[in-house]
Coordinates of all heavy atoms in Angstrom, one line a residue:
M93 N 86.4 -141.4 -173.1 CA 86.2 -141.8 -174.5 C 85.0 -142.8 -174.5 O 85.1 -143.8 -173.9 CB 87.4 -142.4 -175.1 CG 87.3 -142.7 -176.5 SD 88.9 -143.0 -177.3 CE 88.6 -144.5 -178.2
L94 N 84.0 -142.5 -175.3 CA 82.9 -143.4 -175.4 C 82.8 -144.1 -176.8 O 83.1 -143.4 -177.8 CB 81.6 -142.6 -175.2 CG 81.4 -141.9 -173.8 CD1 80.1 -141.2 -173.7 CD2 81.4 -143.0 -172.6
E95 N 82.5 -145.4 -176.7 CA 82.3 -146.0 -178.0 C 81.0 -146.7 -178.0 O 80.5 -147.2 -176.9 CB 83.4 -147.1 -178.1 CG 84.8 -146.6 -178.3 CD 85.1 -146.2 -179.7 OE1 84.3 -146.6 -180.6 OE2 86.1 -145.6 -180.0
N96 N 80.4 -146.9 -179.1 CA 79.2 -147.7 -179.3 C 79.5 -149.1 -179.8 O 80.4 -149.2 -180.6 CB 78.2 -147.0 -180.3 CG 77.6 -145.8 -179.7 OD1 77.2 -145.7 -178.5 ND2 77.6 -144.8 -180.5
E97 N 78.9 -150.0 -179.2 CA 79.2 -151.4 -179.5 C 77.9 -152.2 -179.7 O 77.1 -152.1 -178.8 CB 80.1 -152.1 -178.5 CG 80.3 -153.6 -178.7 CD 81.3 -153.9 -179.8 OE1 81.7 -153.1 -180.6 OE2 81.8 -155.1 -179.8
R98 N 77.7 -152.8 -180.8 CA 76.5 -153.7 -180.9 C 76.8 -155.1 -180.4 O 77.8 -155.6 -180.7 CB 76.1 -153.7 -182.3 CG 75.6 -152.4 -182.9 CD 75.0 -152.4 -184.3 NE 73.7 -153.0 -184.2 CZ 72.6 -152.3 -183.9 NH1 72.7 -151.0 -183.6 NH2 71.4 -152.9 -183.9
Y99 N 75.8 -155.6 -179.7 CA 76.0 -157.0 -179.2 C 74.6 -157.6 -179.4 O 73.6 -157.0 -179.6 CB 76.5 -157.0 -177.8 CG 75.5 -156.4 -176.8 CD1 74.6 -157.3 -176.1 CD2 75.5 -155.1 -176.5 CE1 73.7 -156.7 -175.2 CE2 74.6 -154.5 -175.6 CZ 73.7 -155.4 -175.0 OH 72.8 -154.9 -174.1
Q100 N 74.6 -159.0 -179.3 CA 73.4 -159.7 -179.3 C 73.1 -160.2 -177.9 O 73.9 -160.7 -177.2 CB 73.6 -160.9 -180.2 CG 72.3 -161.6 -180.6 CD 72.5 -162.7 -181.6 OE1 73.5 -163.3 -181.6 NE2 71.5 -162.9 -182.4
C101 N 71.9 -159.8 -177.4 CA 71.5 -160.2 -176.0 C 71.5 -161.7 -175.9 O 70.9 -162.4 -176.7 CB 70.1 -159.6 -175.8 SG 69.4 -160.3 -174.2
P102 N 72.2 -162.3 -174.9 CA 72.2 -163.7 -174.8 C 70.9 -164.3 -174.3 O 70.7 -165.5 -174.3 CB 73.3 -163.9 -173.7 CG 73.4 -162.6 -173.0 CD 73.0 -161.6 -174.0
C103 N 70.0 -163.5 -173.8 CA 68.7 -164.0 -173.3 C 67.7 -164.0 -174.4 O 67.0 -165.0 -174.6 CB 68.2 -163.1 -172.2 SG 69.2 -163.1 -170.7
C104 N 67.5 -162.9 -175.1 CA 66.4 -162.8 -176.1 C 66.9 -162.9 -177.6 O 66.1 -162.9 -178.5 CB 65.5 -161.6 -175.9 SG 66.4 -160.0 -176.1
G105 N 68.2 -162.7 -177.7 CA 68.8 -162.8 -179.1 C 68.7 -161.6 -179.9 O 69.1 -161.5 -181.1
E106 N 68.2 -160.5 -179.3 CA 67.9 -159.3 -180.1 C 69.3 -158.4 -180.2 O 70.0 -158.5 -179.2 CB 66.9 -158.4 -179.5 CG 65.5 -158.9 -179.5 CD 64.9 -158.9 -180.9 OE1 65.2 -158.0 -181.7 OE2 64.3 -159.9 -181.3
P107 N 69.5 -157.8 -181.3 CA 70.7 -156.9 -181.4 C 70.5 -155.6 -180.6 O 69.4 -155.0 -180.7 CB 70.8 -156.6 -182.9 CG 69.4 -156.8 -183.4 CD 68.7 -157.9 -182.5
V108 N 71.4 -155.3 -179.7 CA 71.3 -154.1 -178.8 C 72.6 -153.3 -179.0 O 73.6 -153.9 -179.3 CB 71.1 -154.5 -177.4 CG1 70.6 -153.3 -176.5 CG2 70.1 -155.7 -177.2
E109 N 72.5 -152.0 -178.7 CA 73.7 -151.2 -178.7 C 74.0 -150.7 -177.3 O 73.2 -150.3 -176.6 CB 73.4 -150.0 -179.6 CG 74.7 -149.3 -180.0 CD 74.5 -148.3 -181.1 OE1 74.6 -148.7 -182.3 OE2 74.2 -147.1 -180.9
A110 N 75.3 -150.9 -177.0 CA 75.8 -150.5 -175.7 C 76.8 -149.4 -175.9 O 77.5 -149.2 -176.9 CB 76.5 -151.7 -175.0
V111 N 76.8 -148.4 -174.8 CA 77.8 -147.4 -174.9 C 78.9 -147.8 -173.9 O 78.6 -148.0 -172.7 CB 77.1 -146.0 -174.5 CG1 78.2 -144.9 -174.5 CG2 76.0 -145.6 -175.5
L112 N 80.1 -147.8 -174.3 CA 81.2 -148.2 -173.5 C 82.1 -147.0 -173.1 O 82.4 -146.2 -174.0 CB 82.0 -149.2 -174.3 CG 81.3 -150.4 -174.9 CD1 82.3 -151.3 -175.6 CD2 80.6 -151.2 -173.8
D113 N 82.4 -146.9 -171.9 CA 83.3 -145.9 -171.4 C 84.7 -146.5 -171.3 O 85.0 -147.2 -170.3 CB 82.8 -145.3 -170.1 CG 83.7 -144.2 -169.6 OD1 84.6 -143.8 -170.3 OD2 83.5 -143.7 -168.5
L114 N 85.6 -146.2 -172.3 CA 86.9 -146.8 -172.3 C 87.9 -146.1 -171.4 O 88.9 -146.7 -171.1 CB 87.4 -146.8 -173.7 CG 86.6 -147.5 -174.8 CD1 87.3 -147.5 -176.1 CD2 86.2 -148.9 -174.3
S115 N 87.5 -145.0 -170.8 CA 88.5 -144.2 -170.1 C 88.5 -144.8 -168.6 O 89.4 -144.4 -167.9 CB 88.1 -142.8 -170.0 OG 86.8 -142.6 -169.4
A116 N 87.6 -145.7 -168.2 CA 87.6 -146.1 -166.9 C 88.3 -147.5 -166.7 O 88.3 -148.1 -165.6 CB 86.2 -146.3 -166.4
G117 N 89.0 -148.0 -167.8 CA 89.6 -149.3 -167.7 C 88.7 -150.5 -167.7 O 87.5 -150.3 -168.0
D118 N 89.3 -151.6 -167.2 CA 88.5 -152.8 -167.2 C 87.3 -152.6 -166.2 O 87.4 -152.1 -165.1 CB 89.3 -154.0 -166.7 CG 90.4 -154.4 -167.7 OD1 90.4 -153.8 -168.8 OD2 91.3 -155.2 -167.4
Q119 N 86.1 -153.1 -166.6 CA 85.0 -153.0 -165.9 C 84.1 -154.2 -165.9 O 84.1 -154.9 -166.9 CB 84.1 -151.8 -166.4 CG 84.8 -150.4 -166.4 CD 84.1 -149.5 -167.4 OE1 82.9 -149.1 -167.2 NE2 84.8 -149.1 -168.4
Q120 N 83.4 -154.4 -164.8 CA 82.3 -155.4 -164.9 C 81.1 -154.7 -164.3 O 81.2 -154.1 -163.2 CB 82.6 -156.7 -164.1 CG 81.5 -157.7 -164.2 CD 81.7 -158.9 -163.3 OE1 81.7 -158.8 -162.1 NE2 81.9 -160.1 -163.9
Y121 N 80.0 -154.7 -165.0 CA 78.8 -154.1 -164.5 C 77.6 -154.8 -165.1 O 77.6 -155.6 -166.0 CB 78.7 -152.6 -164.9 CG 78.9 -152.4 -166.4 CD1 77.8 -152.1 -167.2 CD2 80.2 -152.2 -167.0 CE1 77.9 -151.9 -168.6 CE2 80.3 -152.0 -168.3 CZ 79.2 -151.8 -169.1 OH 79.3 -151.6 -170.4
I122 N 76.4 -154.6 -164.4 CA 75.2 -155.2 -164.8 C 74.2 -154.2 -165.3 O 74.1 -153.1 -164.7 CB 74.5 -155.9 -163.6 CG1 75.5 -157.1 -163.1 CG2 73.2 -156.4 -163.9 CD1 75.0 -157.8 -161.9
E123 N 73.6 -154.5 -166.5 CA 72.7 -153.6 -167.1 C 71.5 -154.4 -167.6 O 71.8 -155.5 -168.2 CB 73.3 -152.8 -168.2 CG 73.1 -151.3 -168.2 CD 73.9 -150.6 -169.2 OE1 73.7 -150.8 -170.4 OE2 74.9 -149.9 -168.8
D124 N 70.3 -153.9 -167.5 CA 69.1 -154.6 -168.0 C 69.1 -154.5 -169.5 O 69.3 -153.4 -170.1 CB 67.9 -154.1 -167.4 CG 67.8 -154.4 -165.9 OD1 68.5 -155.2 -165.5 OD2 66.9 -153.8 -165.3
C125 N 68.8 -155.6 -170.2 CA 68.5 -155.6 -171.6 C 67.4 -154.7 -171.9 O 66.3 -154.9 -171.3 CB 68.3 -157.0 -172.1 SG 67.7 -157.1 -173.8
P126 N 67.5 -153.7 -172.8 CA 66.3 -152.8 -173.1 C 65.2 -153.5 -173.8 O 64.1 -153.0 -173.9 CB 67.0 -151.8 -174.0 CG 68.2 -152.4 -174.6 CD 68.7 -153.4 -173.5
V127 N 65.4 -154.7 -174.3 CA 64.4 -155.5 -175.0 C 63.6 -156.4 -174.1 O 62.4 -156.3 -173.9 CB 65.0 -156.2 -176.2 CG1 63.8 -157.0 -176.9 CG2 65.7 -155.3 -177.2
C128 N 64.4 -157.3 -173.4 CA 63.7 -158.3 -172.6 C 63.8 -158.0 -171.1 O 63.2 -158.7 -170.3 CB 64.3 -159.7 -172.8 SG 66.0 -159.9 -172.3
C129 N 64.5 -156.9 -170.7 CA 64.6 -156.4 -169.3 C 65.3 -157.4 -168.3 O 65.2 -157.2 -167.2 CB 63.2 -156.0 -168.8 SG 62.5 -154.7 -169.7
R130 N 66.0 -158.4 -168.9 CA 66.7 -159.3 -168.0 C 68.1 -158.7 -167.7 O 68.6 -158.0 -168.6 CB 66.9 -160.7 -168.6 CG 65.5 -161.4 -168.7 CD 65.7 -162.9 -168.9 NE 64.5 -163.4 -169.5 CZ 64.4 -164.0 -170.7 NH1 65.5 -164.2 -171.4 NH2 63.3 -164.4 -171.1
P131 N 68.6 -158.9 -166.5 CA 69.9 -158.3 -166.2 C 71.1 -159.1 -166.9 O 71.1 -160.3 -167.0 CB 70.1 -158.6 -164.7 CG 69.1 -159.6 -164.3 CD 68.0 -159.6 -165.3
L132 N 71.9 -158.3 -167.5 CA 73.1 -158.9 -168.3 C 74.4 -158.4 -167.6 O 74.5 -157.2 -167.2 CB 73.1 -158.4 -169.8 CG 71.8 -158.6 -170.5 CD1 71.9 -158.0 -171.9 CD2 71.5 -160.1 -170.6
V133 N 75.3 -159.3 -167.6 CA 76.6 -159.0 -167.0 C 77.5 -158.6 -168.1 O 77.8 -159.4 -169.1 CB 77.2 -160.2 -166.2 CG1 78.5 -159.8 -165.6 CG2 76.2 -160.5 -165.1
F134 N 78.1 -157.4 -168.0 CA 79.0 -156.9 -169.0 C 80.4 -157.0 -168.5 O 80.7 -156.5 -167.4 CB 78.7 -155.4 -169.4 CG 77.5 -155.2 -170.1 CD1 76.3 -155.4 -169.6 CD2 77.6 -154.8 -171.5 CE1 75.1 -155.2 -170.3 CE2 76.4 -154.6 -172.3 CZ 75.2 -154.8 -171.6
N135 N 81.3 -157.6 -169.3 CA 82.8 -157.6 -168.9 C 83.5 -156.8 -170.0 O 83.5 -157.3 -171.1 CB 83.3 -159.0 -168.8 CG 83.0 -159.6 -167.4 OD1 83.5 -159.2 -166.4 ND2 82.1 -160.6 -167.5
L136 N 84.0 -155.7 -169.6 CA 84.7 -154.8 -170.6 C 86.2 -154.9 -170.3 O 86.6 -154.5 -169.2 CB 84.2 -153.4 -170.6 CG 84.9 -152.4 -171.5 CD1 84.8 -152.7 -172.9 CD2 84.4 -151.0 -171.2
Y137 N 87.0 -155.3 -171.3 CA 88.4 -155.2 -171.1 C 89.0 -154.2 -172.1 O 88.7 -154.3 -173.3 CB 89.0 -156.6 -171.4 CG 88.4 -157.8 -170.7 CD1 87.4 -158.5 -171.3 CD2 88.8 -158.1 -169.4 CE1 86.7 -159.5 -170.6 CE2 88.2 -159.1 -168.7 CZ 87.1 -159.8 -169.3 OH 86.5 -160.8 -168.6
T138 N 89.8 -153.3 -171.5 CA 90.3 -152.2 -172.4 C 91.6 -151.6 -171.9 O 91.8 -151.6 -170.7 CB 89.2 -151.1 -172.5 OG1 89.7 -150.1 -173.4 CG2 88.9 -150.5 -171.1
D139 N 92.4 -151.2 -172.8 CA 93.6 -150.4 -172.4 C 93.4 -149.0 -172.8 O 94.4 -148.2 -172.8 CB 94.8 -151.1 -173.1 CG 94.7 -151.0 -174.6 OD1 93.8 -150.4 -175.1 OD2 95.6 -151.6 -175.2
G140 N 92.2 -148.6 -173.1 CA 91.9 -147.2 -173.5 C 91.8 -147.0 -174.9 O 91.3 -146.0 -175.4
T141 N 92.3 -147.9 -175.7 CA 92.3 -147.8 -177.2 C 91.6 -149.0 -177.8 O 90.5 -148.8 -178.5 CB 93.7 -147.8 -177.8 OG1 94.5 -146.8 -177.1 CG2 93.7 -147.3 -179.2
Q142 N 92.1 -150.2 -177.5 CA 91.4 -151.4 -177.9 C 90.5 -151.9 -176.8 O 90.8 -151.6 -175.7 CB 92.5 -152.4 -178.2 CG 93.7 -152.0 -179.0 CD 93.5 -152.3 -180.4 OE1 92.7 -153.1 -180.8 NE2 94.4 -151.6 -181.2
W143 N 89.5 -152.6 -177.2 CA 88.6 -153.1 -176.2 C 88.0 -154.4 -176.7 O 87.9 -154.7 -177.9 CB 87.5 -152.1 -175.8 CG 86.4 -152.0 -176.8 CD1 85.2 -152.7 -176.7 CD2 86.3 -151.2 -177.9 NE1 84.4 -152.3 -177.8 CE2 85.1 -151.4 -178.5 CE3 87.2 -150.2 -178.4 CZ2 84.7 -150.7 -179.7 CZ3 86.8 -149.6 -179.6 CH2 85.6 -149.8 -180.2
S144 N 87.5 -155.2 -175.7 CA 86.7 -156.4 -176.1 C 85.6 -156.4 -175.1 O 85.8 -156.1 -173.8 CB 87.5 -157.7 -176.1 OG 87.9 -158.0 -174.8
L145 N 84.4 -156.8 -175.5 CA 83.2 -156.9 -174.6 C 82.7 -158.2 -174.6 O 82.6 -158.9 -175.6 CB 82.2 -155.9 -175.2 CG 80.9 -155.8 -174.4 CD1 81.1 -155.1 -173.0 CD2 79.9 -155.0 -175.2
D146 N 82.4 -158.6 -173.4 CA 81.8 -160.0 -173.2 C 80.5 -159.8 -172.5 O 80.4 -159.1 -171.4 CB 82.8 -160.8 -172.4 CG 82.2 -162.2 -172.1 OD1 81.7 -162.8 -173.1 OD2 82.2 -162.7 -171.0
V147 N 79.4 -160.2 -173.1 CA 78.1 -160.1 -172.5 C 77.4 -161.4 -172.2 O 77.4 -162.3 -173.1 CB 77.1 -159.2 -173.4 CG1 75.8 -159.0 -172.7 CG2 77.7 -157.9 -173.8
R148 N 77.0 -161.6 -171.0 CA 76.4 -162.9 -170.7 C 75.2 -162.7 -169.8 O 75.1 -161.7 -169.1 CB 77.4 -163.9 -170.1 CG 78.0 -163.4 -168.8 CD 79.1 -164.3 -168.4 NE 80.2 -164.3 -169.3 CZ 81.1 -165.3 -169.4 NH1 80.9 -166.4 -168.8 NH2 82.0 -165.2 -170.3
S149 N 74.3 -163.6 -169.7 CA 73.2 -163.5 -168.8 C 73.6 -163.7 -167.4 O 74.6 -164.5 -167.1 CB 72.1 -164.4 -169.2 OG 72.4 -165.8 -168.9
E150 N 72.9 -163.1 -166.4 CA 73.4 -163.2 -165.1 C 73.4 -164.6 -164.5 O 74.1 -164.9 -163.5 CB 72.5 -162.2 -164.2 CG 73.1 -161.9 -162.9 CD 72.2 -161.0 -162.0 OE1 71.0 -161.2 -162.1 OE2 72.7 -160.1 -161.3
N151 N 72.5 -165.4 -165.0 CA 72.3 -166.8 -164.5 C 73.4 -167.8 -164.9 O 73.4 -168.9 -164.3 CB 70.9 -167.3 -164.8 CG 69.9 -166.4 -164.4 OD1 70.0 -165.7 -163.3 ND2 68.8 -166.2 -165.1
E152 N 74.2 -167.4 -165.9 CA 75.2 -168.4 -166.4 C 76.4 -168.5 -165.4 O 76.7 -167.6 -164.8 CB 75.6 -168.0 -167.8 CG 74.7 -168.5 -168.8 CD 75.1 -167.9 -170.2 OE1 76.2 -167.6 -170.4 OE2 74.2 -167.9 -171.1
Ligands
ZN258 ZN1 67.3 -159.3 -174.2

């Protein structure tokens, strides 16, 4: 199950949309911001239905 989630990049402050795969459970992964190209750490917590997403810059 895929969900779209909008977040604000912690580096450049631009609004970005992420695609979340809720079927894989809790995940941590790194993806580059499409605006400023800096690596962002995504922490996704999900039970398959509800989710919360935490995005931070890799340097924090
Ligand atoms: Zn950015």
Side-chain angles (χ1 to χ4, degrees):
M93 183 167 135
L94 297 177
E95 292 279 349
N96 290 317
E97 171 79 344
R98 294 188 76 79
Y99 65 93
Q100 194 175 30
C101 173
C103 293
C104 65
E106 290 292 322
V108 194
E109 194 165 272
V111 179
L112 310 177
D113 181 3
L114 301 186
S115 61
D118 293 352
Q119 299 159 64
Q120 185 186 62
Y121 55 97
I122 295 176
E123 228 171 69
D124 291 347
C125 171
V127 179
C128 66
C129 297
R130 293 198 200 120
L132 305 177
V133 180
F134 289 73
N135 280 289
L136 173 63
Y137 307 97
T138 180
D139 60 7
T141 312
Q142 314 262 344
W143 76 92
S144 69
L145 179 68
D146 182 47
V147 183
R148 60 188 66 204
S149 71
E150 199 183 31
N151 300 329
E152 278 175 20

